[in-house]
Amino acid sequence: MVMEDKITIQLDGDFKKKLLPMQLIGLLPPKAAKFFYMVYVLSKNNKKCFYSQNLLKLCHMSKDDCDIALQTLIDNGIVNVIKNGGSYQCLINYDKFEEFSYPFNDLADKDEIKLSTDVTFRNITDDSCLID
């Protein structure tokens, strides 16, 4: 008999995640799409996910690739990052999803989102975020 490990995410009764727009995933570079999907799945009821070594392992991506993917999401307003001590919290900007609510057939006419080249989110100070 094979035992499976399962990850359980407990949500507050009054919180429901918005559906992830496939149009957004289609426009993101593959690294950023994979990373964002994991952040989305692992986000808890307060819409945040900790950027940690575990997240890197779950994504099966290097730290550099995850940093660039996260910076791409930040630069495009999809995710924000708050630093608290030595950790970073990724917060999904669900309001941004509205920009991707067009018909799926229109996706081919849209410009793809470009992968960021410079990682700047590591420069923020404690208890601040990139929007500050």
Side-chain angles (χ1 to χ4, degrees), residues 17-87:
K17 286 185 181 182
K18 290 187 178 182
L19 291 177
L20 185 62
M22 288 296 103
Q23 295 88 329
L24 171 59
I25 297 300
L27 292 176
L28 284 170
K31 288 178 191 177
K34 182 178 182 180
F35 183 84
F36 179 60
Y37 184 75
M38 291 306 294
V39 168
Y40 172 81
V41 168
L42 295 174
S43 292
K44 303 223 187 258
N45 55 1
N46 49 5
K47 303 185 288 187
K48 67 182 172 184
C49 172
F50 287 95
Y51 185 58
S52 66
Q53 191 64 33
N54 288 339
L55 180 57
L56 304 181
K57 288 178 185 177
L58 288 171
C59 289
H60 294 277
M61 292 168 55
S62 70
K63 179 181 166 297
D64 290 341
D65 284 345
C66 286
D67 281 359
I68 287 294
L70 178 54
Q71 190 66 53
T72 300
L73 298 172
I74 293 166
D75 290 348
N76 289 281
I78 300 163
V79 171
N80 193 17
V81 171
I82 296 175
K83 183 177 180 186
N84 190 341
S87 69

Side-chain angles (χ1 to χ4, degrees), residues 73-102:
L73 298 172
I74 293 166
D75 290 348
N76 289 281
I78 300 163
V79 171
N80 193 17
V81 171
I82 296 175
K83 183 177 180 186
N84 190 341
S87 69
Y88 295 93
Q89 298 173 8
C90 302
L91 290 94
I92 296 173
N93 179 6
Y94 286 101
D95 293 336
K96 189 74 171 179
F97 286 13
E98 293 173 22
E99 292 180 26
F100 301 93
S101 64
Y102 49 82

